[in-house]
Amino acid sequence: MFLHSVNLWNLAFYVFMVFMATLGLWDVFFGFEENKCSMSYMFEYPEYQKIELPKKLAKRYPAYELYLYGEGSYAEEHKILPLTGIPVLFLPGNAGSYKQVRSIGSIALRKAEDIDFKYHFDFFSVNFNEELVALYGGSLQKQTKFVHECIKTILKLYKGQEFAPKSVAIIGHSMGGLVARALLTLKNFKHDLINLLITQATPHVAPVMPLDRFITDFYTTVNNYWILNARHINLTTLSVAGGFRDYQVRSGLTFLPKLSHHTSALSVVSSAVPKTWVSTDHLSIVWCKQLQLTTVRAFFDLIDADTKQITQNSKKKLSVLTHHFIRHPSKHFEENPAIISDLTGTSMWVPVKVSKWTYVAYNESEKIYFTFPLENHRKIYTHVYCQSTMLDTNSWIFACINSTSMCQQGVDLSWKAELLPTIKTLTLRLQDYPSLSHLVVYVPSVHGSKFVVDCEFFKKETRSIQLPVTHLFSFGLSSRKVMLNTNGLYYNIELLNFGQIYQAFKINVVSKCSAVKEEITSIYKLHIPWSYEDSLTVAQAPSSTEISLKLHIAQPENDSHVALLKMYTSSDCRYEVTIKTSFSQILGQVVRFHGGALPAYVVSNMLLTYRGQLYSLFSTGCCLEYATMLDKEAKPYKVDPFVIIIKFLLGYKWFNELWDVLLLPELDAVILTSQSMCFPLISLILFLFGTCTAYWSGLLSSASVRLLSSLWLALKRPSELPKDIKMISPDLPFLTIVLIIVSWTTCGALAILLSYVYYVFKVVHLQASLTTFKNSQPVNPKHSRRSERINLIKTPQYTIFVLSVTMLKIA
């Protein structure tokens, strides 16, 4: 009966919308790279030593605990307090376990063993009893206060030691990172109790799903405090996002606010982290071996040799984090690196005058310096590019100042290099270094290992190619293509007109190589200059490689940079780059960024339908079918104009204050605009998705009620319909009192669940009664089926049934 009330065109539309939604959901949940994280393993049995808390504290927070992580002999030795290491506190997130500290704790312990425990870290972890703070924010403030007490308890464990710490480093996963930031909002909290904060997949900007006012108020308090007090907050903070594999917390929510006067904060996606280069899901970010190794290396480089604790120098902390998480030059971190290096010794000096040069080193018996005179090259070329496949941490490229052919000292340019998965590279613009006379490439003596060094001089215009992206509504039917026919090693493809989150494309790179015996590796790097969300693809040539192009953060309005596809190629290959719109990924971006607003549009459609049914009931005395009324009443122009008007009025202070007095939630459109996520057509798209969801949920509800009523009839034949049908049953006051008592003594969710089950039972019972009533009516062959249906619609029992099912769907 439900399907009969919808014409075929509308049914086709609803089927089409389901197909569209399926494409978007598939892209969000499956349209990403495979999990390339290596699992981190322990070498000894892990132990979690419970730290005894003061009795008053344990009584105040009976559900929370504090643990110290250890393995093997380390765990046995540290059962006897006090401690002597560097404290790090791990805070789990929503439904997280304190045992998630195991991965980074175990790796840090192995690193300490490698240096004979010259320095070591003590990893603590808080047990929040796996509370669902992302769904209910009432516990967030309590967790924050408990963490404050834990920090004071941890520092007391080092009392009396020669190098006792005065602060702790914090690693917060998911909502644990937000709790760590909330510490600064506490009245009695001293900011110097935290020396470093690293958050993993933490939604800093806004909650993933603002399900209650506790969460929204908590976010407002934390973010407002950090923005208003940015000048006084000297806490070095690093936020690491998981990338597109993390569909629970999209990476755009993890980026800390960019404030001109707060330069101690970094935000990066794991796919852009050097030596990691992988996307992680929401849980694997805490055990991904590549990422945890990077984090541990950074921790050890942060140690101050004098205090044997994490340095208090903010500049050094930011330099260390930038070195390990933003741009790695393939050298060990040095706070004050030596810029001038000695180039003396028994080495060969070989001049190179060609513009393109390759050297294959294998079992070299002596050191070689290859020198490239720059004077003549400056007249023809604008840039020089060098790469090496030897990924050691030694200096490998230098420059001579005002020299003829060789120099005893040179400028170490290795610090300007960049580490990639299979090579380390350096690109210099020659006019930026007018005093340099020679470029020097150093090849050390090696035994048993083989590596290749390449250098080339080029003009920028020959290697920078503009590629405008295809139009959003081309639906992948058209494409744009560029050919790289020169034999260069490095190209920049400028992706013009790309900077919005609703844009999504597929890039296909086809490499065709001449006959070569050895395997050729190419690297394609998507570089987003306004945020650290780069991604790398390593491909073996010849091949056809597909790259997804979409954003976590939209380009700021005042930013004029262009997104780049950096291609590190082989001179033996030719490359063809094709770009076209990916409609499925566009739908995925809509779901990823705006899926949380869909329930509001679904309810809007249902309320419009319910309004139409009530109007029909009061004006004509009969109630039309839900699906028929949904087609008639669910129109975007009945919702969007009011949203636009309210959004405009909220720009005025008096209306904003009135909105707050009425305790109304913040308008979704205002939030989307503040996050640069509001664009034309999104409201229409969401409304159509909402209409489709309302229709199919109505179909599902109707089918479920009919199935349950059939089961009810099979078990028990209902009595005849009551003659006096009331909209409000006499037992409603009693039921209300019972549910209030249940919600007061247990929780409100249980009371809502019981009321929902109660009304489901009532609707099922009514459907069973109507079925019996219909079957008991005498059949009149003179009347058509349409007449029977109209007669049934005019019955008050059927009217109340339709309204009851509608209200059930809204509930």
Side-chain angles (χ1 to χ4, degrees), residues 308-323:
K308 297 187 184 300
Q309 296 293 326
I310 289 180
T311 180
Q312 297 298 318
N313 187 333
S314 299
K315 185 178 180 180
K316 179 182 177 180
K317 286 189 281 190
L318 198 63
S319 298
V320 170
L321 295 179
T322 301
H323 177 92

Side-chain angles (χ1 to χ4, degrees), residues 183-449:
L183 287 168
L184 276 63
T185 66
L186 299 178
K187 291 183 179 179
N188 300 322
F189 184 79
K190 298 179 181 179
H191 290 194
D192 55 4
L193 288 178
I194 309 177
N195 53 48
L196 177 69
L197 173 59
I198 297 178
T199 65
Q200 299 172 337
T202 296
H204 292 293
V205 176
V208 178
M209 291 292 289
L211 299 178
D212 59 49
R213 198 170 186 87
F214 294 109
I215 294 180
T216 55
D217 289 347
F218 190 82
Y219 265 90
T220 301
T221 301
V222 173
N223 286 331
N224 285 347
Y225 181 89
W226 276 65
I227 293 173
L228 296 175
N229 298 276
R231 296 182 182 275
H232 310 291
I233 296 177
N234 197 31
L235 175 59
T236 303
T237 307
L238 171 69
S239 175
V240 183
F244 288 109
R245 279 194 62 85
D246 189 352
Y247 51 78
Q248 293 180 321
V249 176
R250 61 178 179 83
S251 297
L253 292 177
T254 68
F255 278 64
L256 293 161
K258 287 186 177 181
L259 303 175
S260 58
H261 45 274
H262 185 206
T263 58
S264 298
L266 290 174
S267 302
V268 63
V269 180
S270 60
S271 60
V273 176
K275 295 189 176 183
T276 301
W277 296 308
V278 296
S279 178
T280 64
D281 58 55
H282 197 62
L283 293 180
S284 68
I285 197 170
V286 300
W287 57 256
C288 182
K289 185 177 181 180
Q290 296 96 313
L291 183 59
Q292 300 311 319
L293 282 170
T294 300
T295 306
V296 169
R297 293 189 198 105
F299 268 124
F300 276 88
D301 282 341
L302 286 165
I303 298 174
D304 188 326
D306 296 329
T307 64
K308 297 187 184 300
Q309 296 293 326
I310 289 180
T311 180
Q312 297 298 318
N313 187 333
S314 299
K315 185 178 180 180
K316 179 182 177 180
K317 286 189 281 190
L318 198 63
S319 298
V320 170
L321 295 179
T322 301
H323 177 92
H324 287 283
F325 288 90
I326 304 299
R327 185 185 177 92
H328 198 294
S330 189
K331 289 181 67 66
H332 291 305
F333 174 80
E334 295 180 23
E335 186 175 0
N336 298 303
I339 301 301
I340 305 298
S341 299
D342 293 329
L343 304 181
T344 57
T346 56
S347 305
M348 291 180 58
W349 286 77
V350 180
V352 180
K353 296 183 179 181
V354 296
S355 61
K356 186 172 183 179
W357 168 83
T358 298
Y359 184 79
V360 180
Y362 182 70
N363 281 336
E364 298 294 332
S365 58
E366 59 180 326
K367 305 173 185 177
I368 306 176
Y369 289 106
F370 293 94
T371 62
F372 299 80
L374 300 179
E375 182 178 357
N376 293 331
H377 288 308
R378 280 198 181 93
K379 299 176 182 179
I380 305 174
Y381 305 106
T382 60
H383 289 71
V384 59
Y385 169 82
C386 291
Q387 67 180 31
S388 173
T389 60
M390 175 173 266
L391 303 183
D392 62 355
T393 57
N394 297 318
S395 296
W396 63 286
I397 189 164
F398 307 88
C400 295
I401 301 176
N402 299 324
S403 175
T404 54
S405 60
M406 58 181 292
C407 54
Q408 294 184 347
Q409 289 185 326
V411 178
D412 191 351
L413 298 176
S414 305
W415 291 102
K416 298 182 180 296
E418 180 182 11
L419 177 66
L420 296 173
T422 58
I423 56 175
K424 51 187 178 183
T425 71
L426 174 69
T427 305
L428 296 178
R429 191 170 69 162
L430 295 177
Q431 71 177 36
D432 293 340
Y433 302 90
S435 62
L436 301 184
S437 59
H438 288 74
L439 189 69
V440 181
V441 175
Y442 171 61
V443 176
S445 58
V446 292
H447 300 282
S449 60

Side-chain angles (χ1 to χ4, degrees), residues 24-323:
L25 290 171
W26 185 92
D27 179 73
V28 171
F29 293 107
F30 304 102
F32 43 70
E33 65 181 57
E34 62 180 4
N35 193 348
K36 298 179 182 179
C37 280
S38 301
M39 177 63 75
S40 53
Y41 294 98
M42 307 156 297
F43 293 89
E44 297 177 278
Y45 190 78
E47 294 188 30
Y48 303 89
Q49 179 184 347
K50 186 177 179 180
I51 303 299
E52 186 176 352
L53 301 174
K55 292 183 179 179
K56 289 185 178 179
L57 184 61
K59 187 176 180 180
R60 194 186 315 162
Y61 304 99
Y64 299 160
E65 296 170 322
L66 177 65
Y67 288 88
L68 171 65
Y69 177 81
E71 295 177 15
S73 59
Y74 170 86
E76 291 296 325
E77 292 173 3
H78 289 80
K79 286 182 179 179
I80 304 175
L81 303 176
L83 303 174
T84 58
I86 304 169
V88 179
L89 179 60
F90 176 80
L91 304 180
N94 175 62
S97 169
Y98 66 94
K99 295 183 179 181
Q100 289 174 311
V101 73
R102 177 196 62 80
S103 295
I104 191 168
S106 180
I107 292 174
L109 183 58
R110 301 284 85 78
K111 177 73 172 177
E113 289 178 347
D114 292 341
I115 58 174
D116 295 326
F117 283 93
K118 179 181 179 181
Y119 310 111
H120 73 273
F121 289 86
D122 301 319
F123 278 84
F124 298 85
S125 184
V126 174
N127 179 16
F128 285 135
N129 199 28
E130 300 186 8
E131 291 180 333
L132 302 172
V133 289
L135 304 180
Y136 170 68
S139 300
L140 288 170
Q141 190 67 21
K142 183 171 65 172
Q143 289 186 0
T144 304
K145 293 179 179 178
F146 179 73
V147 172
H148 183 200
E149 299 297 333
C150 285
I151 293 174
K152 293 189 287 187
T153 300
I154 290 171
L155 294 178
K156 289 179 181 177
L157 299 177
Y158 297 85
K159 193 173 182 180
Q161 298 301 307
E162 182 181 0
F163 299 101
K166 297 180 181 178
S167 57
V168 302
I170 294 181
I171 299 176
H173 173 240
S174 189
M175 296 298 287
L178 185 68
V179 169
R181 289 180 62 216
L183 287 168
L184 276 63
T185 66
L186 299 178
K187 291 183 179 179
N188 300 322
F189 184 79
K190 298 179 181 179
H191 290 194
D192 55 4
L193 288 178
I194 309 177
N195 53 48
L196 177 69
L197 173 59
I198 297 178
T199 65
Q200 299 172 337
T202 296
H204 292 293
V205 176
V208 178
M209 291 292 289
L211 299 178
D212 59 49
R213 198 170 186 87
F214 294 109
I215 294 180
T216 55
D217 289 347
F218 190 82
Y219 265 90
T220 301
T221 301
V222 173
N223 286 331
N224 285 347
Y225 181 89
W226 276 65
I227 293 173
L228 296 175
N229 298 276
R231 296 182 182 275
H232 310 291
I233 296 177
N234 197 31
L235 175 59
T236 303
T237 307
L238 171 69
S239 175
V240 183
F244 288 109
R245 279 194 62 85
D246 189 352
Y247 51 78
Q248 293 180 321
V249 176
R250 61 178 179 83
S251 297
L253 292 177
T254 68
F255 278 64
L256 293 161
K258 287 186 177 181
L259 303 175
S260 58
H261 45 274
H262 185 206
T263 58
S264 298
L266 290 174
S267 302
V268 63
V269 180
S270 60
S271 60
V273 176
K275 295 189 176 183
T276 301
W277 296 308
V278 296
S279 178
T280 64
D281 58 55
H282 197 62
L283 293 180
S284 68
I285 197 170
V286 300
W287 57 256
C288 182
K289 185 177 181 180
Q290 296 96 313
L291 183 59
Q292 300 311 319
L293 282 170
T294 300
T295 306
V296 169
R297 293 189 198 105
F299 268 124
F300 276 88
D301 282 341
L302 286 165
I303 298 174
D304 188 326
D306 296 329
T307 64
K308 297 187 184 300
Q309 296 293 326
I310 289 180
T311 180
Q312 297 298 318
N313 187 333
S314 299
K315 185 178 180 180
K316 179 182 177 180
K317 286 189 281 190
L318 198 63
S319 298
V320 170
L321 295 179
T322 301
H323 177 92

Side-chain angles (χ1 to χ4, degrees), residues 387-530:
Q387 67 180 31
S388 173
T389 60
M390 175 173 266
L391 303 183
D392 62 355
T393 57
N394 297 318
S395 296
W396 63 286
I397 189 164
F398 307 88
C400 295
I401 301 176
N402 299 324
S403 175
T404 54
S405 60
M406 58 181 292
C407 54
Q408 294 184 347
Q409 289 185 326
V411 178
D412 191 351
L413 298 176
S414 305
W415 291 102
K416 298 182 180 296
E418 180 182 11
L419 177 66
L420 296 173
T422 58
I423 56 175
K424 51 187 178 183
T425 71
L426 174 69
T427 305
L428 296 178
R429 191 170 69 162
L430 295 177
Q431 71 177 36
D432 293 340
Y433 302 90
S435 62
L436 301 184
S437 59
H438 288 74
L439 189 69
V440 181
V441 175
Y442 171 61
V443 176
S445 58
V446 292
H447 300 282
S449 60
K450 179 180 178 180
F451 65 95
V452 181
V453 184
D454 298 276
C455 284
E456 65 172 352
F457 292 85
F458 62 88
K459 290 182 179 180
K460 180 183 178 182
E461 54 268 24
T462 63
R463 302 300 174 84
S464 294
I465 303 171
Q466 294 184 342
L467 178 61
V469 299
T470 51
H471 194 272
L472 181 68
F473 295 108
S474 63
F475 301 106
L477 300 177
S478 62
S479 62
R480 286 175 178 158
K481 182 187 301 184
V482 294
M483 300 288 295
L484 309 180
N485 291 319
T486 59
N487 56 349
L489 299 173
Y490 173 73
Y491 295 90
N492 264 339
I493 308 295
E494 299 180 4
L495 303 171
L496 303 181
N497 307 320
F498 173 65
Q500 301 300 324
I501 58 171
Y502 52 83
Q503 293 177 298
F505 306 92
K506 286 182 180 179
I507 297 177
N508 189 48
V509 182
V510 178
S511 56
K512 299 178 181 179
C513 307
S514 57
V516 290
K517 296 181 180 180
E518 297 183 357
E519 191 177 70
I520 298 176
T521 301
S522 300
I523 300 175
Y524 314 130
K525 178 180 179 180
L526 284 173
H527 175 59
I528 310 301
W530 55 84

